[in-house]
Amino acid sequence: MLFSPSRLFHRATALLTAAVLLASAPLSHATIDDAHSFAMEAAVPFVEQGFIVREDYWNGEVKSGQKLMVRHQMFKGNEYAFWLGCAQEEVTFELQVLDEKGNEIELDFKASGMFATVRVNPPKTGTYSVVFSLTSKKEKGLYWALAYGYR
Amino acid sequence: MNRSPFYSLFAATALTALASASNVSAQAASSGAQEFDPRAFPGQVVEDVVVPVPSEVFSVLDKLGEPNWRQEIRTIDFQKTADRTKLSLMFGLVVAEGFVAVQAEDKEAVKDIGREVIDLATALGLIKSVRPHAQAILDAADKSDWSSIRREFDQTQKTVRDSMIQMKDNDLSQCVSMGGWLRGTASVTSVIAKSFSADRAELLNQPMLVEHFINSINKMSKDKKDHNNVADISKGLKTILAKMEGAVDGFTKDGVREIGKTCDSLLKDIQAAR
């Protein structure tokens, strides 16, 4: 396990606090770091299942509805999880993983509140494309962070 | 990768093509065996590449057998130098060696590597940000807390690269990644060559990462690009890329050995005084 139960509890408390603060704060105060915090919140149940969270991640700001793509190396034999966090509320997420031929290979897409997740069992070792978008009726620009873990 | 300010936000060009990702899939599927072309992606491609840590590959090797990781630990022998390019490459190498030592669950080797991390961070002027991680590695080694050590090595590498980027040393940040990848790949090829199988060898199918490093070197400032080690790495990576791209029907044992040999030679040069 990556975190001890007490650390997990403290982390969950910190994330909950952050979420409450974020919810009560003006949206213009949202930051990229908030997006990463929500991605890490999405990672918590995966960590409990033995996923190791990578320190490196992708982030940025994107126009609502615009498609983004990240190219990423994955190894057959590992299971991967991708966690997409957003700093703003009421966002609709899309998150897919495509193989070299453009076929979808992700499992269990889930979106909830400020994040979305997918799991991936890569059928072979190689380069995959993580394609995603965030859409908001209220915000033109959205802060995002995409993190991943493996087991 | 954690980069801010952000990549060309609100890229206007992408607005001309808002086809959904499922359309992308459908187009690719309908074109038979045609490869998905990321250059034709109707949106914004995030150019940052996250380089896997060695343990991502090591964990697969563990699932496919029981490698003797202790055999893979190598003595780190680097000359004192003020050459920051060499130090950055060494830093990546040492962190990757740390992952090997964790895999071997070798407490003393981890501690030695933790001390090397401190020395290198000091030489690079980054000890303030690295010391907490290095101390955590030493403390966790006492408790044989391997998952914590793995996380700390990952954090250490990221801290150093982020600090370098803040200091406008993006090229050196790339050197850290390259040193780590070379050492990790040398270990992987060594394990695979000792107990060859197609499943194990497939782990070397990493052309995107090799291309990423080659492109990174091409974009470096002239003084970095012309650095002996970096110039040699550029040549070596091109050799490795050709091997990877030539392994259409899978890697042969000889192919794996040749990739390993190229990595070993480059690692030896990094540790040499020149």
Side-chain angles (χ1 to χ4, degrees), chain B residues 106-127:
Chain B
D106 187 326
K107 205 184 284 192
E108 290 311 309
V110 167
K111 285 184 178 179
D112 288 345
I113 291 161
R115 287 187 277 268
E116 296 284 2
V117 164
I118 290 172
D119 288 349
L120 283 165
T122 304
L124 282 163
L126 301 171
I127 187 59

mmCIF file with all atom_site columns, all heavy atoms in Angstrom, chain B residues 106-127:
data_model
loop_
_atom_site.group_PDB
_atom_site.id
_atom_site.type_symbol
_atom_site.label_atom_id
_atom_site.label_alt_id
_atom_site.label_comp_id
_atom_site.label_asym_id
_atom_site.label_entity_id
_atom_site.label_seq_id
_atom_site.pdbx_PDB_ins_code
_atom_site.Cartn_x
_atom_site.Cartn_y
_atom_site.Cartn_z
_atom_site.occupancy
_atom_site.B_iso_or_equiv
_atom_site.pdbx_formal_charge
_atom_site.auth_seq_id
_atom_site.auth_comp_id
_atom_site.auth_asym_id
_atom_site.auth_atom_id
_atom_site.pdbx_PDB_model_num
ATOM 1   N N   . ASP B 1 106 ? 17.260 -4.382 -1.138  1.00 0.00 ? 106 ASP B N   1
ATOM 2   C CA  . ASP B 1 106 ? 18.606 -4.320 -0.564  1.00 0.00 ? 106 ASP B CA  1
ATOM 3   C C   . ASP B 1 106 ? 18.747 -3.007 0.223   1.00 0.00 ? 106 ASP B C   1
ATOM 4   O O   . ASP B 1 106 ? 18.985 -1.934 -0.347  1.00 0.00 ? 106 ASP B O   1
ATOM 5   C CB  . ASP B 1 106 ? 19.644 -4.389 -1.693  1.00 0.00 ? 106 ASP B CB  1
ATOM 6   C CG  . ASP B 1 106 ? 21.064 -4.496 -1.157  1.00 0.00 ? 106 ASP B CG  1
ATOM 7   O OD1 . ASP B 1 106 ? 21.353 -3.910 -0.091  1.00 0.00 ? 106 ASP B OD1 1
ATOM 8   O OD2 . ASP B 1 106 ? 21.885 -5.153 -1.831  1.00 0.00 ? 106 ASP B OD2 1
ATOM 9   N N   . LYS B 1 107 ? 18.572 -3.129 1.521   1.00 0.00 ? 107 LYS B N   1
ATOM 10  C CA  . LYS B 1 107 ? 18.549 -1.968 2.405   1.00 0.00 ? 107 LYS B CA  1
ATOM 11  C C   . LYS B 1 107 ? 19.842 -1.140 2.312   1.00 0.00 ? 107 LYS B C   1
ATOM 12  O O   . LYS B 1 107 ? 19.814 0.083  2.218   1.00 0.00 ? 107 LYS B O   1
ATOM 13  C CB  . LYS B 1 107 ? 18.376 -2.490 3.839   1.00 0.00 ? 107 LYS B CB  1
ATOM 14  C CG  . LYS B 1 107 ? 17.773 -1.522 4.782   1.00 0.00 ? 107 LYS B CG  1
ATOM 15  C CD  . LYS B 1 107 ? 17.729 -2.072 6.190   1.00 0.00 ? 107 LYS B CD  1
ATOM 16  C CE  . LYS B 1 107 ? 16.643 -3.092 6.419   1.00 0.00 ? 107 LYS B CE  1
ATOM 17  N NZ  . LYS B 1 107 ? 16.449 -3.386 7.854   1.00 0.00 ? 107 LYS B NZ  1
ATOM 18  N N   . GLU B 1 108 ? 20.984 -1.820 2.353   1.00 0.00 ? 108 GLU B N   1
ATOM 19  C CA  . GLU B 1 108 ? 22.264 -1.101 2.344   1.00 0.00 ? 108 GLU B CA  1
ATOM 20  C C   . GLU B 1 108 ? 22.482 -0.381 1.014   1.00 0.00 ? 108 GLU B C   1
ATOM 21  O O   . GLU B 1 108 ? 22.983 0.744  0.991   1.00 0.00 ? 108 GLU B O   1
ATOM 22  C CB  . GLU B 1 108 ? 23.422 -2.063 2.648   1.00 0.00 ? 108 GLU B CB  1
ATOM 23  C CG  . GLU B 1 108 ? 23.440 -2.550 4.092   1.00 0.00 ? 108 GLU B CG  1
ATOM 24  C CD  . GLU B 1 108 ? 23.294 -1.402 5.115   1.00 0.00 ? 108 GLU B CD  1
ATOM 25  O OE1 . GLU B 1 108 ? 24.046 -0.414 4.999   1.00 0.00 ? 108 GLU B OE1 1
ATOM 26  O OE2 . GLU B 1 108 ? 22.415 -1.491 5.993   1.00 0.00 ? 108 GLU B OE2 1
ATOM 27  N N   . ALA B 1 109 ? 22.122 -1.056 -0.075  1.00 0.00 ? 109 ALA B N   1
ATOM 28  C CA  . ALA B 1 109 ? 22.276 -0.411 -1.387  1.00 0.00 ? 109 ALA B CA  1
ATOM 29  C C   . ALA B 1 109 ? 21.394 0.831  -1.471  1.00 0.00 ? 109 ALA B C   1
ATOM 30  O O   . ALA B 1 109 ? 21.813 1.871  -1.991  1.00 0.00 ? 109 ALA B O   1
ATOM 31  C CB  . ALA B 1 109 ? 21.919 -1.390 -2.503  1.00 0.00 ? 109 ALA B CB  1
ATOM 32  N N   . VAL B 1 110 ? 20.164 0.733  -0.946  1.00 0.00 ? 110 VAL B N   1
ATOM 33  C CA  . VAL B 1 110 ? 19.262 1.891  -0.961  1.00 0.00 ? 110 VAL B CA  1
ATOM 34  C C   . VAL B 1 110 ? 19.875 3.045  -0.169  1.00 0.00 ? 110 VAL B C   1
ATOM 35  O O   . VAL B 1 110 ? 19.851 4.202  -0.603  1.00 0.00 ? 110 VAL B O   1
ATOM 36  C CB  . VAL B 1 110 ? 17.870 1.520  -0.393  1.00 0.00 ? 110 VAL B CB  1
ATOM 37  C CG1 . VAL B 1 110 ? 17.044 2.773  -0.122  1.00 0.00 ? 110 VAL B CG1 1
ATOM 38  C CG2 . VAL B 1 110 ? 17.123 0.611  -1.357  1.00 0.00 ? 110 VAL B CG2 1
ATOM 39  N N   . LYS B 1 111 ? 20.465 2.722  0.993   1.00 0.00 ? 111 LYS B N   1
ATOM 40  C CA  . LYS B 1 111 ? 21.073 3.780  1.811   1.00 0.00 ? 111 LYS B CA  1
ATOM 41  C C   . LYS B 1 111 ? 22.253 4.421  1.080   1.00 0.00 ? 111 LYS B C   1
ATOM 42  O O   . LYS B 1 111 ? 22.423 5.646  1.102   1.00 0.00 ? 111 LYS B O   1
ATOM 43  C CB  . LYS B 1 111 ? 21.524 3.204  3.149   1.00 0.00 ? 111 LYS B CB  1
ATOM 44  C CG  . LYS B 1 111 ? 20.377 2.941  4.113   1.00 0.00 ? 111 LYS B CG  1
ATOM 45  C CD  . LYS B 1 111 ? 20.938 2.457  5.429   1.00 0.00 ? 111 LYS B CD  1
ATOM 46  C CE  . LYS B 1 111 ? 19.844 2.224  6.438   1.00 0.00 ? 111 LYS B CE  1
ATOM 47  N NZ  . LYS B 1 111 ? 20.373 1.723  7.708   1.00 0.00 ? 111 LYS B NZ  1
ATOM 48  N N   . ASP B 1 112 ? 23.080 3.580  0.453   1.00 0.00 ? 112 ASP B N   1
ATOM 49  C CA  . ASP B 1 112 ? 24.221 4.119  -0.315  1.00 0.00 ? 112 ASP B CA  1
ATOM 50  C C   . ASP B 1 112 ? 23.717 5.064  -1.402  1.00 0.00 ? 112 ASP B C   1
ATOM 51  O O   . ASP B 1 112 ? 24.275 6.144  -1.617  1.00 0.00 ? 112 ASP B O   1
ATOM 52  C CB  . ASP B 1 112 ? 25.018 2.983  -0.971  1.00 0.00 ? 112 ASP B CB  1
ATOM 53  C CG  . ASP B 1 112 ? 25.815 2.189  0.059   1.00 0.00 ? 112 ASP B CG  1
ATOM 54  O OD1 . ASP B 1 112 ? 25.968 2.682  1.201   1.00 0.00 ? 112 ASP B OD1 1
ATOM 55  O OD2 . ASP B 1 112 ? 26.266 1.066  -0.269  1.00 0.00 ? 112 ASP B OD2 1
ATOM 56  N N   . ILE B 1 113 ? 22.659 4.628  -2.072  1.00 0.00 ? 113 ILE B N   1
ATOM 57  C CA  . ILE B 1 113 ? 22.115 5.448  -3.166  1.00 0.00 ? 113 ILE B CA  1
ATOM 58  C C   . ILE B 1 113 ? 21.496 6.730  -2.607  1.00 0.00 ? 113 ILE B C   1
ATOM 59  O O   . ILE B 1 113 ? 21.641 7.804  -3.203  1.00 0.00 ? 113 ILE B O   1
ATOM 60  C CB  . ILE B 1 113 ? 21.104 4.615  -3.991  1.00 0.00 ? 113 ILE B CB  1
ATOM 61  C CG1 . ILE B 1 113 ? 21.871 3.531  -4.759  1.00 0.00 ? 113 ILE B CG1 1
ATOM 62  C CG2 . ILE B 1 113 ? 20.298 5.488  -4.948  1.00 0.00 ? 113 ILE B CG2 1
ATOM 63  C CD1 . ILE B 1 113 ? 21.037 2.382  -5.244  1.00 0.00 ? 113 ILE B CD1 1
ATOM 64  N N   . GLY B 1 114 ? 20.849 6.633  -1.463  1.00 0.00 ? 114 GLY B N   1
ATOM 65  C CA  . GLY B 1 114 ? 20.306 7.832  -0.803  1.00 0.00 ? 114 GLY B CA  1
ATOM 66  C C   . GLY B 1 114 ? 21.403 8.852  -0.545  1.00 0.00 ? 114 GLY B C   1
ATOM 67  O O   . GLY B 1 114 ? 21.211 10.057 -0.724  1.00 0.00 ? 114 GLY B O   1
ATOM 68  N N   . ARG B 1 115 ? 22.576 8.353  -0.132  1.00 0.00 ? 115 ARG B N   1
ATOM 69  C CA  . ARG B 1 115 ? 23.706 9.268  0.122   1.00 0.00 ? 115 ARG B CA  1
ATOM 70  C C   . ARG B 1 115 ? 24.258 9.847  -1.185  1.00 0.00 ? 115 ARG B C   1
ATOM 71  O O   . ARG B 1 115 ? 24.653 11.009 -1.246  1.00 0.00 ? 115 ARG B O   1
ATOM 72  C CB  . ARG B 1 115 ? 24.783 8.537  0.928   1.00 0.00 ? 115 ARG B CB  1
ATOM 73  C CG  . ARG B 1 115 ? 24.372 8.322  2.391   1.00 0.00 ? 115 ARG B CG  1
ATOM 74  C CD  . ARG B 1 115 ? 25.503 7.742  3.223   1.00 0.00 ? 115 ARG B CD  1
ATOM 75  N NE  . ARG B 1 115 ? 25.594 6.301  3.082   1.00 0.00 ? 115 ARG B NE  1
ATOM 76  C CZ  . ARG B 1 115 ? 24.973 5.411  3.880   1.00 0.00 ? 115 ARG B CZ  1
ATOM 77  N NH1 . ARG B 1 115 ? 24.235 5.836  4.894   1.00 0.00 ? 115 ARG B NH1 1
ATOM 78  N NH2 . ARG B 1 115 ? 25.091 4.123  3.687   1.00 0.00 ? 115 ARG B NH2 1
ATOM 79  N N   . GLU B 1 116 ? 24.266 9.023  -2.239  1.00 0.00 ? 116 GLU B N   1
ATOM 80  C CA  . GLU B 1 116 ? 24.688 9.534  -3.562  1.00 0.00 ? 116 GLU B CA  1
ATOM 81  C C   . GLU B 1 116 ? 23.734 10.643 -4.023  1.00 0.00 ? 116 GLU B C   1
ATOM 82  O O   . GLU B 1 116 ? 24.154 11.632 -4.622  1.00 0.00 ? 116 GLU B O   1
ATOM 83  C CB  . GLU B 1 116 ? 24.692 8.411  -4.609  1.00 0.00 ? 116 GLU B CB  1
ATOM 84  C CG  . GLU B 1 116 ? 25.688 7.291  -4.357  1.00 0.00 ? 116 GLU B CG  1
ATOM 85  C CD  . GLU B 1 116 ? 27.115 7.684  -4.686  1.00 0.00 ? 116 GLU B CD  1
ATOM 86  O OE1 . GLU B 1 116 ? 27.336 8.848  -5.084  1.00 0.00 ? 116 GLU B OE1 1
ATOM 87  O OE2 . GLU B 1 116 ? 28.000 6.828  -4.529  1.00 0.00 ? 116 GLU B OE2 1
ATOM 88  N N   . VAL B 1 117 ? 22.453 10.438 -3.750  1.00 0.00 ? 117 VAL B N   1
ATOM 89  C CA  . VAL B 1 117 ? 21.449 11.445 -4.126  1.00 0.00 ? 117 VAL B CA  1
ATOM 90  C C   . VAL B 1 117 ? 21.770 12.773 -3.438  1.00 0.00 ? 117 VAL B C   1
ATOM 91  O O   . VAL B 1 117 ? 21.725 13.845 -4.056  1.00 0.00 ? 117 VAL B O   1
ATOM 92  C CB  . VAL B 1 117 ? 20.023 10.947 -3.755  1.00 0.00 ? 117 VAL B CB  1
ATOM 93  C CG1 . VAL B 1 117 ? 19.015 12.097 -3.749  1.00 0.00 ? 117 VAL B CG1 1
ATOM 94  C CG2 . VAL B 1 117 ? 19.567 9.866  -4.732  1.00 0.00 ? 117 VAL B CG2 1
ATOM 95  N N   . ILE B 1 118 ? 22.123 12.685 -2.169  1.00 0.00 ? 118 ILE B N   1
ATOM 96  C CA  . ILE B 1 118 ? 22.470 13.904 -1.414  1.00 0.00 ? 118 ILE B CA  1
ATOM 97  C C   . ILE B 1 118 ? 23.702 14.573 -2.023  1.00 0.00 ? 118 ILE B C   1
ATOM 98  O O   . ILE B 1 118 ? 23.723 15.792 -2.241  1.00 0.00 ? 118 ILE B O   1
ATOM 99  C CB  . ILE B 1 118 ? 22.699 13.565 0.075   1.00 0.00 ? 118 ILE B CB  1
ATOM 100 C CG1 . ILE B 1 118 ? 21.358 13.189 0.732   1.00 0.00 ? 118 ILE B CG1 1
ATOM 101 C CG2 . ILE B 1 118 ? 23.347 14.739 0.818   1.00 0.00 ? 118 ILE B CG2 1
ATOM 102 C CD1 . ILE B 1 118 ? 21.464 12.652 2.140   1.00 0.00 ? 118 ILE B CD1 1
ATOM 103 N N   . ASP B 1 119 ? 24.733 13.779 -2.317  1.00 0.00 ? 119 ASP B N   1
ATOM 104 C CA  . ASP B 1 119 ? 25.967 14.342 -2.897  1.00 0.00 ? 119 ASP B CA  1
ATOM 105 C C   . ASP B 1 119 ? 25.693 15.033 -4.231  1.00 0.00 ? 119 ASP B C   1
ATOM 106 O O   . ASP B 1 119 ? 26.181 16.140 -4.492  1.00 0.00 ? 119 ASP B O   1
ATOM 107 C CB  . ASP B 1 119 ? 27.009 13.230 -3.112  1.00 0.00 ? 119 ASP B CB  1
ATOM 108 C CG  . ASP B 1 119 ? 27.595 12.748 -1.785  1.00 0.00 ? 119 ASP B CG  1
ATOM 109 O OD1 . ASP B 1 119 ? 27.342 13.409 -0.751  1.00 0.00 ? 119 ASP B OD1 1
ATOM 110 O OD2 . ASP B 1 119 ? 28.285 11.712 -1.775  1.00 0.00 ? 119 ASP B OD2 1
ATOM 111 N N   . LEU B 1 120 ? 24.926 14.343 -5.072  1.00 0.00 ? 120 LEU B N   1
ATOM 112 C CA  . LEU B 1 120 ? 24.651 14.909 -6.401  1.00 0.00 ? 120 LEU B CA  1
ATOM 113 C C   . LEU B 1 120 ? 23.772 16.160 -6.305  1.00 0.00 ? 120 LEU B C   1
ATOM 114 O O   . LEU B 1 120 ? 23.992 17.137 -7.027  1.00 0.00 ? 120 LEU B O   1
ATOM 115 C CB  . LEU B 1 120 ? 23.979 13.856 -7.292  1.00 0.00 ? 120 LEU B CB  1
ATOM 116 C CG  . LEU B 1 120 ? 24.930 12.803 -7.860  1.00 0.00 ? 120 LEU B CG  1
ATOM 117 C CD1 . LEU B 1 120 ? 24.158 11.613 -8.399  1.00 0.00 ? 120 LEU B CD1 1
ATOM 118 C CD2 . LEU B 1 120 ? 25.803 13.394 -8.964  1.00 0.00 ? 120 LEU B CD2 1
ATOM 119 N N   . ALA B 1 121 ? 22.786 16.101 -5.414  1.00 0.00 ? 121 ALA B N   1
ATOM 120 C CA  . ALA B 1 121 ? 21.910 17.277 -5.238  1.00 0.00 ? 121 ALA B CA  1
ATOM 121 C C   . ALA B 1 121 ? 22.722 18.462 -4.731  1.00 0.00 ? 121 ALA B C   1
ATOM 122 O O   . ALA B 1 121 ? 22.490 19.610 -5.131  1.00 0.00 ? 121 ALA B O   1
ATOM 123 C CB  . ALA B 1 121 ? 20.771 16.941 -4.282  1.00 0.00 ? 121 ALA B CB  1
ATOM 124 N N   . THR B 1 122 ? 23.690 18.184 -3.850  1.00 0.00 ? 122 THR B N   1
ATOM 125 C CA  . THR B 1 122 ? 24.556 19.254 -3.343  1.00 0.00 ? 122 THR B CA  1
ATOM 126 C C   . THR B 1 122 ? 25.364 19.848 -4.492  1.00 0.00 ? 122 THR B C   1
ATOM 127 O O   . THR B 1 122 ? 25.449 21.074 -4.645  1.00 0.00 ? 122 THR B O   1
ATOM 128 C CB  . THR B 1 122 ? 25.500 18.696 -2.254  1.00 0.00 ? 122 THR B CB  1
ATOM 129 O OG1 . THR B 1 122 ? 24.706 18.091 -1.239  1.00 0.00 ? 122 THR B OG1 1
ATOM 130 C CG2 . THR B 1 122 ? 26.362 19.801 -1.643  1.00 0.00 ? 122 THR B CG2 1
ATOM 131 N N   . ALA B 1 123 ? 25.948 18.969 -5.294  1.00 0.00 ? 123 ALA B N   1
ATOM 132 C CA  . ALA B 1 123 ? 26.766 19.440 -6.420  1.00 0.00 ? 123 ALA B CA  1
ATOM 133 C C   . ALA B 1 123 ? 25.930 20.248 -7.415  1.00 0.00 ? 123 ALA B C   1
ATOM 134 O O   . ALA B 1 123 ? 26.432 21.167 -8.056  1.00 0.00 ? 123 ALA B O   1
ATOM 135 C CB  . ALA B 1 123 ? 27.420 18.252 -7.122  1.00 0.00 ? 123 ALA B CB  1
ATOM 136 N N   . LEU B 1 124 ? 24.650 19.903 -7.524  1.00 0.00 ? 124 LEU B N   1
ATOM 137 C CA  . LEU B 1 124 ? 23.770 20.621 -8.451  1.00 0.00 ? 124 LEU B CA  1
ATOM 138 C C   . LEU B 1 124 ? 23.157 21.874 -7.817  1.00 0.00 ? 124 LEU B C   1
ATOM 139 O O   . LEU B 1 124 ? 22.438 22.620 -8.476  1.00 0.00 ? 124 LEU B O   1
ATOM 140 C CB  . LEU B 1 124 ? 22.630 19.693 -8.921  1.00 0.00 ? 124 LEU B CB  1
ATOM 141 C CG  . LEU B 1 124 ? 22.995 18.659 -9.992  1.00 0.00 ? 124 LEU B CG  1
ATOM 142 C CD1 . LEU B 1 124 ? 21.948 17.555 -10.057 1.00 0.00 ? 124 LEU B CD1 1
ATOM 143 C CD2 . LEU B 1 124 ? 23.148 19.322 -11.360 1.00 0.00 ? 124 LEU B CD2 1
ATOM 144 N N   . GLY B 1 125 ? 23.423 22.084 -6.522  1.00 0.00 ? 125 GLY B N   1
ATOM 145 C CA  . GLY B 1 125 ? 22.873 23.251 -5.825  1.00 0.00 ? 125 GLY B CA  1
ATOM 146 C C   . GLY B 1 125 ? 21.396 23.093 -5.497  1.00 0.00 ? 125 GLY B C   1
ATOM 147 O O   . GLY B 1 125 ? 20.675 24.085 -5.378  1.00 0.00 ? 125 GLY B O   1
ATOM 148 N N   . LEU B 1 126 ? 20.944 21.848 -5.361  1.00 0.00 ? 126 LEU B N   1
ATOM 149 C CA  . LEU B 1 126 ? 19.519 21.606 -5.127  1.00 0.00 ? 126 LEU B CA  1
ATOM 150 C C   . LEU B 1 126 ? 19.265 20.866 -3.821  1.00 0.00 ? 126 LEU B C   1
ATOM 151 O O   . LEU B 1 126 ? 18.184 20.300 -3.622  1.00 0.00 ? 126 LEU B O   1
ATOM 152 C CB  . LEU B 1 126 ? 18.937 20.775 -6.297  1.00 0.00 ? 126 LEU B CB  1
ATOM 153 C CG  . LEU B 1 126 ? 19.048 21.392 -7.681  1.00 0.00 ? 126 LEU B CG  1
ATOM 154 C CD1 . LEU B 1 126 ? 18.658 20.392 -8.750  1.00 0.00 ? 126 LEU B CD1 1
ATOM 155 C CD2 . LEU B 1 126 ? 18.174 22.627 -7.779  1.00 0.00 ? 126 LEU B CD2 1
ATOM 156 N N   . ILE B 1 127 ? 20.254 20.885 -2.940  1.00 0.00 ? 127 ILE B N   1
ATOM 157 C CA  . ILE B 1 127 ? 20.149 20.056 -1.742  1.00 0.00 ? 127 ILE B CA  1
ATOM 158 C C   . ILE B 1 127 ? 18.965 20.461 -0.860  1.00 0.00 ? 127 ILE B C   1
ATOM 159 O O   . ILE B 1 127 ? 18.333 19.595 -0.228  1.00 0.00 ? 127 ILE B O   1
ATOM 160 C CB  . ILE B 1 127 ? 21.481 20.059 -0.941  1.00 0.00 ? 127 ILE B CB  1
ATOM 161 C CG1 . ILE B 1 127 ? 21.415 19.051 0.203   1.00 0.00 ? 127 ILE B CG1 1
ATOM 162 C CG2 . ILE B 1 127 ? 21.852 21.444 -0.465  1.00 0.00 ? 127 ILE B CG2 1
ATOM 163 C CD1 . ILE B 1 127 ? 21.167 17.619 -0.216  1.00 0.00 ? 127 ILE B CD1 1
#
